[in-house]
Amino acid sequence: MTGTDAPLLSHPDRNLALELVRATEAAAIRAVPFIGRGDKNAADGAAVDAMRKFLGTVDFDGVVVIGEGEKDNAPMLFNGEHVGTGRGPACDIAVDPIDGTSLTASGRRNAISMIAAADRGSMLDASSVFYMRKLVAGPEAHGVLDIRASIGENIRELAKKLGKDVAEIQVAVLDRPRHEELIEEIRAAGAGTRLLLDGDVAGGIDAASIGGTFDLCVGTGGSPEGVATACAIKALGGFIQTMLAPKDEAEKAKGLEAGLKFDHVYTADELVTSDNTFFVATGVTDGNLVGGVRRKGGIIRTESIVLRSHSGTTRRVVADHLASKWL
């Protein structure tokens, strides 16, 4: 349900976030044996199995609206899958047991396990169009940035608002061939780039966070990831604008049939209409957003971030787990 006049019990409550973080912790821990082993499918499979198991114990009625695939591609958490006990609030959830499977397989930084949740029916279903352009920054960007403007103009306006020289602005962008021109434009404007091998969800959250490494996160990435990022951005009071980027006319036609809008700027409130969103992420490998899983003797330590838009809170959760319980 959406809307502020709905019964209180129909909404996800504050305890849900701390339940969901158990699932991301489990997925991250189970992925550890596969870090640097070159087998991203094995890492993903282990994380999916752990996340599904723990979600099954949570008192909520969750439906995966942004998952990793369709039902026939199990063991992935598939679109439309019901998770939870079925008791408690009805939620849309977006899941990625490992955002950065290639990073995990190669032993690189910034792989996370993540879940986003919001009231049932509130997340935009953009699954028919795989990519969207994104522009993400902190709260200062409201009324300042516009995804329809050039990247150079946005960088200059943001620098002015932040009281920085343009040369101090750090822009995160996925390192992809499709971004070659964008990267050149960022550098031509005088700003510095921070190229991400993968994981623009973590990059966007970092850009919107107080004390983050990045000032701005831009580029074209997955539409599902854009919606998940919006859940976090609403909790941070940050700024996000997106525009759908169909790869061809056939995909655009599918999007139109699904009710999506093109040449339209989607804001956070359109990507997720609920004012009660959750975002939880646990580090698999070390990164700017959260630290990775570490084992010291008989203890496994995880680091997670827990965001809730209704209260506007950001929590850091460091948990020590007895390794003997995970053997």
Side-chain angles (χ1 to χ4, degrees):
M1 295 178 67
T2 59
T4 56
D5 57 347
L8 182 61
L9 292 177
S10 70
H11 290 284
D13 67 16
R14 65 175 65 92
N15 295 322
L16 180 60
L18 297 180
E19 289 293 305
L20 294 178
V21 80
R22 293 170 56 238
T24 57
E25 289 171 345
I29 290 170
R30 289 302 190 198
V32 167
F34 302 96
I35 294 174
R37 299 302 178 90
D39 190 344
K40 66 179 185 179
N41 291 331
D44 203 29
V48 167
D49 289 345
M51 181 173 282
R52 178 179 278 123
K53 177 180 177 181
F54 274 79
L55 284 176
T57 69
V58 179
D59 281 335
F60 79 130
D61 179 12
V63 173
V64 178
V65 298
I66 299 172
E68 292 194 316
E70 302 302 329
K71 186 173 183 178
D72 292 342
N73 292 328
M76 293 188 292
L77 283 149
F78 57 84
N79 299 332
E81 180 173 353
H82 283 258
V83 293
T85 64
R87 301 185 297 271
C91 304
D92 286 348
I93 68 168
V95 298
D96 198 340
I98 304 180
D99 182 25
T101 52
S102 296
L103 300 176
T104 302
S106 60
R108 297 180 186 273
R109 291 171 53 85
N110 293 315
I112 62 172
S113 175
M114 69 116 220
I115 301 174
D119 297 301
R120 177 69 53 79
S122 63
M123 287 187 186
L124 178 71
D125 182 359
S127 58
S128 56
V129 179
F130 191 78
Y131 286 118
M132 60 171 51
R133 291 174 53 212
K134 306 169 192 176
L135 182 66
V136 187
E140 301 86 357
H142 288 286
V144 175
L145 301 186
D146 188 336
I147 195 171
R148 294 163 295 191
S150 70
I151 187 62
E153 182 179 344
N154 278 317
I155 288 170
R156 288 187 290 273
E157 291 300 316
L158 183 61
K160 187 186 306 181
K161 181 68 175 181
L162 294 176
K164 291 184 175 184
D165 291 334
V166 167
E168 297 178 85
I169 297 295
Q170 303 297 326
V171 184
V173 57
L174 285 172
D175 189 5
R176 299 288 188 273
R178 63 179 178 268
H179 290 148
E180 288 179 0
E181 184 176 342
L182 175 62
I183 292 167
E184 289 179 4
E185 291 176 354
I186 293 168
R187 292 171 177 169
T193 55
R194 293 294 181 266
L195 302 184
L196 307 176
L197 292 174
D198 214 339
D200 66 343
V201 174
I205 296 170
D206 181 279
S209 299
I210 296 173
T213 305
F214 313 132
D215 299 293
L216 194 61
C217 186
V218 300
T220 300
S223 297
E225 287 83 356
V227 177
T229 301
C231 288
I233 299 306
K234 293 187 78 164
L236 294 166
F239 171 90
I240 182 170
Q241 287 184 344
T242 70
M243 295 183 73
L244 294 168
K247 62 183 179 181
D248 52 35
E249 288 300 318
E251 190 175 61
K252 184 174 182 178
K254 284 180 61 179
L256 289 170
E257 187 176 347
L260 298 176
K261 294 181 281 188
F262 296 87
D263 300 320
H264 173 79
V265 177
Y266 281 95
T267 64
D269 286 334
E270 291 176 290
L271 294 168
V272 188
T273 59
S274 172
D275 64 355
N276 191 31
T277 67
F278 295 85
F279 182 92
V280 300
T282 301
V284 178
T285 59
D286 283 339
N288 295 337
L289 186 64
V290 283
V293 179
R294 297 181 182 277
R295 179 165 180 172
K296 292 186 177 181
I299 297 295
I300 298 172
R301 175 166 290 183
T302 57
E303 183 179 328
S304 306
I305 186 170
V306 179
L307 307 171
R308 188 187 184 203
S309 67
H310 185 69
S311 56
T313 52
T314 299
R315 290 182 170 88
R316 298 276 177 174
V317 178
V318 176
D320 287 340
H321 313 258
L322 286 175
S324 59
K325 300 291 186 180
W326 292 87
L327 296 178

